């Protein structure tokens, strides 16, 4: 028991640069508190004390803002950062070394009994506000972007973003210990995102050129009123749109 607690505390220091000392982690981290409540509730659930398990889970939710059903199965070195609004359903299964940020939901899509919540492989990172819904599997080492809605299987090592989530990067499962905050990676291979960034960069460069032209005209003694300046900008914008 104490060995697992030491692991849980060590994980906080590994994945949250704001953690300063052990006392702060033990007393001020709701993700850690929610996990401890869940372990007690899960033990009660497995031993047939269903009502007491639900009550323990409810107390944990009231104190931390994190709702974990006592039937959920959670592996080692699990970390919930910030945590407010996290919901983990009854038949959810979470592997070792997984990370969830605030607002994440591991939810069901059916009122039927049986397996109806997601399974996360080892090392999965789920960004803030993401929803993973249904009895689907997110493969080991996968990353789910912030606010994504996942309703289909995600292969190991993939990165999924958007609503509904689409895979934008696939590679082999990352080495143990690799961590991507908020499930954001550099060099994201998303053509839509690249196109938007290129348009923004082009717009910024065009603004710089217009400012330079106007500055040169003013240096030569040509006065341009603010209204005229706005009209020139509007004309240029219309040309881009056309």
């Amino acid at each position: 028991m104490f060995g697992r607690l030491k692991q849980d505390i060590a994980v906080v220091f590994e994945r949250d640069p704001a953690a300063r000392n052990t006392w702060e982690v033990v007393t001020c981290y709701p993700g850690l508190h929610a996990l401890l409540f869940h372990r007690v509730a899960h033990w009660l659930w497995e031993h047939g004390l269903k009502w007491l398990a639900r009550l323990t889970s409810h107390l944990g939710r009231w104190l931390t803002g994190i709702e974990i059903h006592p039937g959920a199965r959670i592996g080692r070195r699990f970390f919930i950062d910030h945590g407010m609004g996290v919901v983990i359903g009854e038949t959810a299964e979470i592997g070792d070394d997984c990370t969830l940020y605030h607002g994440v939901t591991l939810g069901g899509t059916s009122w039927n009994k049986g397996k109806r919540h997601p399974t996360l492989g080892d090392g999965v990172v789920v960004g803030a506000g993401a929803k993973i819904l249904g009895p689907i599997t997110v493969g080991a080492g996968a990353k789910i972007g912030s606010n994504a809605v996942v309703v289909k299987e995600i292969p190991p090592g993939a990165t999924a973003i958007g609503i509904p989530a689409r895979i934008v990067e696939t590679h082999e499962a990352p080495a143990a210990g690799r961590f991507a905050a908020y499930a954001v990676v550099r060099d994201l291979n998303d053509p839509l995102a690249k196109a938007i960034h290129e348009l923004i960069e082009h717009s910024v460069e065009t603004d710089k050129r217009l400012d330079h032209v106007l500055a040169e005209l003013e240096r030569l003694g040509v006065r341009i009123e603010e209204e005229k300046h706005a009209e020139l900008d509007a004309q240029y914008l219309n040309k881009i749109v056309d």
Side-chain angles (χ1 to χ4, degrees):
M1 177 180 176
F2 288 104
R4 292 198 70 172
L5 179 59
K6 288 178 66 176
Q7 280 187 339
D8 297 332
I9 294 172
V11 161
V12 175
F13 286 107
E14 175 189 334
R15 303 182 197 172
D16 184 3
R20 296 182 301 170
N21 55 64
T22 300
W23 177 247
E24 181 181 72
V25 170
V26 170
T27 57
C28 300
Y29 273 69
L32 177 63
H33 301 157
L35 185 57
L36 297 178
F37 270 103
H38 173 70
R39 289 204 181 124
V40 175
H42 185 68
W43 186 91
L44 293 169
W45 185 268
E46 291 290 293
H47 287 78
L49 302 171
K50 307 292 188 182
W51 177 85
L52 191 55
R54 290 301 301 266
L55 180 62
T56 303
S57 175
H58 184 66
L59 290 173
R61 176 179 179 269
W62 180 62
L63 290 171
T64 66
I66 298 168
E67 181 174 340
I68 308 176
H69 192 284
R73 298 180 178 274
I74 298 176
R76 292 179 176 271
R77 296 175 298 279
F78 176 57
F79 179 55
I80 302 176
D81 199 2
H82 302 295
M84 182 61 71
V86 167
V87 176
I88 300 175
E90 177 188 4
T91 61
E93 298 176 57
I94 299 174
D96 297 336
D97 302 299
C98 291
T99 301
L100 307 186
Y101 286 87
H102 47 284
V104 167
T105 298
L106 304 184
T109 56
S110 170
W111 289 348
N112 298 326
K113 299 289 186 180
K115 177 66 172 173
R116 60 189 186 280
H117 297 95
T119 297
L120 307 187
D122 296 343
V124 170
V125 180
V126 185
K131 318 299 178 190
I132 306 177
L133 306 175
I136 60 176
T137 298
V138 178
K143 295 182 287 292
I144 308 301
S146 298
N147 295 315
V149 177
V150 182
V151 293
K152 294 182 180 179
E153 305 273 330
I154 303 297
T159 297
I161 64 171
I163 304 174
R166 64 191 187 281
I167 296 171
V168 295
E169 185 177 72
T170 305
H171 50 74
E172 295 181 358
R178 180 178 175 183
F179 176 69
Y182 289 87
V184 174
V185 294
R186 294 181 180 180
D187 302 323
L188 196 60
N189 188 25
D190 182 2
L192 180 60
K194 285 184 175 180
I196 291 172
H197 281 292
E198 287 176 3
L199 284 172
I200 293 172
E201 290 172 2
H202 177 73
S203 176
V204 170
E205 184 63 28
T206 301
D207 285 344
K208 289 180 180 179
R209 291 181 179 180
L210 283 174
D211 289 339
H212 178 71
V213 169
L214 292 171
E216 286 297 314
L217 289 173
E218 289 182 359
R219 188 179 64 82
L220 295 172
V222 179
R223 296 183 58 83
I224 300 178
E225 303 295 336
E226 288 296 325
E227 293 80 3
K228 188 64 176 178
H229 190 175
E231 184 182 339
L232 289 172
D233 286 344
Q235 289 175 358
Y236 180 77
L237 181 61
N238 289 333
K239 287 182 180 180
I240 294 178
V241 172
D242 293 341

